[in-house]
Amino acid sequence: MGSNSSTAALTEVSTIVKHWREHPPSSYSLKIHNFSELEKSTALSDHKYQSRLFTYGGYNWRLIIYPKGNGEDNVRGFISMYVEIDSESLMLFTSPTEIFAEVRFFVYNKKENKYFTIQVNLKRGGGLQQVLPCVTFNNPDNGYIFEGGQCEFGVDVIVAPSLTNWEVLSFTKKYFDPKFSWTIKDFSELKEDVQKSNSFPMGGKEWVLALYPKGALGADGKCGNVVHRTNPGLGLGLPKVYLDKEDALKVEIEFKVVSATKYSFREADPLEKDWVQLTPEN
């Protein structure tokens, strides 16, 4: 459907469901005292009636009725109903970029004393080109027009909240060069308790290996010879230590990664946690 500068058209993304309901609409109701007068007034403009703005789900909406069908969509002979979100209310939000809503359109039937209801899921909005045939709606015997031309339309808009908690899990990601080699010269003459390698990238992060020649007691009570970067720190014992003829120690580490990233409800302050397995090679 067409839209003006203050509204944003919405796209339908799911199957239409039709049924009857006794409960009236909860988002917005439009009661018309004389439907034929509405037809005459819209014929002089753009053949549609736009309700005042109403607020629901944190956004401003507008119900739109085409008494004889939406000519912009080449529809004639049907009642057309749409709901539009006011673009100015979208400017107040930086996220979500897409708004999904469950929309129910209502047409009251006095004869049944119920509401003919059509439910559809929409992305940011949209509507229905063919709600009821005009010949069916305009016949008082069918109950949609009653008491001298009165009728009632309505809409419920249920906005799906934005995603606030999610998790991304990946397994055994292989890198082109998963190994890191580090040679420590004059090993027998080392006096410091810890030797640290230069930093190196792996898996999108910077790492530093720290070697404890005499071993280091970790937070878990286990003794390790090599640890990865100090935060969070993972102790790793070397199965065997070999020195070459030049008193040099070569350490080779192969990375095998299993990672999971979790985000809290505060999108600007994500909580991250990584699980990384480091396997030394002999």
Side-chain angles (χ1 to χ4, degrees):
M1 63 172 282
S3 61
N4 55 36
S5 59
S6 63
T7 57
L10 312 186
T11 305
E12 179 183 330
V13 294
S14 74
T15 306
I16 297 172
V17 178
K18 301 180 180 180
H19 58 90
W20 290 92
R21 193 177 95 170
E22 295 182 358
H23 188 69
S26 58
S27 296
Y28 196 78
S29 174
L30 171 63
K31 295 182 179 180
I32 301 171
H33 286 171
N34 193 316
F35 185 73
S36 61
E37 291 297 325
L38 174 68
E39 290 180 304
K40 292 178 183 179
S41 64
T42 57
L44 300 175
S45 56
D46 49 5
H47 303 280
K48 66 182 179 182
Y49 176 80
Q50 300 185 75
S51 75
R52 66 178 181 84
L53 290 175
F54 61 94
T55 302
Y56 214 85
Y59 300 92
N60 294 328
W61 305 83
R62 177 180 284 112
L63 177 63
I64 301 176
I65 307 293
Y66 288 82
K68 295 184 177 180
N70 184 2
E72 298 178 17
D73 289 342
N74 297 319
V75 178
R76 298 288 186 274
F78 286 87
I79 302 291
S80 300
M81 298 179 66
Y82 297 85
V83 66
E84 283 187 339
I85 189 169
D86 183 43
S87 60
E88 292 183 0
S89 66
L90 287 177
M91 296 178 184
L92 301 177
F93 299 88
T94 56
S95 64
T97 56
E98 292 183 326
I99 302 170
F100 291 89
E102 178 182 294
V103 179
R104 300 187 186 103
F105 293 99
F106 298 88
V107 184
Y108 179 65
N109 188 295
K110 180 75 172 182
K111 184 178 180 180
E112 299 290 339
N113 196 24
K114 294 180 181 179
Y115 290 85
F116 177 63
T117 306
I118 306 179
Q119 177 178 322
V120 62
N121 291 344
L122 304 172
K123 183 172 69 174
R124 293 184 65 180
L128 300 170
Q129 298 176 349
Q130 301 180 3
V131 177
L132 284 169
C134 291
V135 293
T136 300
F137 180 84
N138 290 322
N139 187 345
D141 293 337
N142 293 325
Y144 296 103
I145 295 289
F146 52 90
E147 298 177 5
Q150 295 186 43
C151 60
E152 181 184 355
F153 300 94
V155 65
D156 277 354
V157 181
I158 303 173
V159 179
S162 58
L163 184 64
T164 56
N165 295 281
W166 65 92
E167 178 177 326
V168 180
L169 179 63
S170 60
F171 291 95
T172 315
K173 185 175 181 180
K174 296 182 179 180
Y175 297 99
F176 176 74
D177 186 8
K179 297 180 181 179
F180 174 75
S181 297
W182 178 31
T183 301
I184 304 171
K185 298 181 179 180
D186 301 323
F187 183 81
S188 299
E189 299 179 8
L190 295 178
K191 296 181 180 180
E192 295 83 359
D193 292 332
V194 58
Q195 296 290 320
K196 294 183 179 181
S197 72
N198 295 328
S199 64
F200 59 94
M202 186 67 67
K205 298 181 181 295
E206 290 293 321
W207 297 80
V208 174
L209 295 186
L211 178 78
Y212 293 82
K214 298 179 181 180
L217 189 63
D220 57 0
K222 297 181 179 180
C223 186
N225 298 104
V226 180
V227 299
H228 73 60
R229 54 184 192 141
T230 56
N231 187 14
L234 173 65
L236 181 65
L238 295 179
K240 292 182 180 180
V241 175
Y242 295 99
L243 298 178
D244 61 16
K245 296 180 180 180
E246 298 179 355
D247 195 26
L249 174 68
K250 184 177 182 181
V251 179
E252 290 188 347
I253 301 292
E254 180 178 359
F255 284 71
K256 293 182 180 179
V257 178
V258 177
S259 64
T261 304
K262 299 178 181 179
Y263 293 85
S264 69
F265 63 91
R266 297 174 297 176
E267 295 183 8
D269 184 22
L271 300 177
E272 295 187 7
K273 189 173 183 179
D274 298 319
W275 290 266
V276 182
Q277 293 179 349
L278 304 183
T279 303
E281 289 192 344
N282 294 333

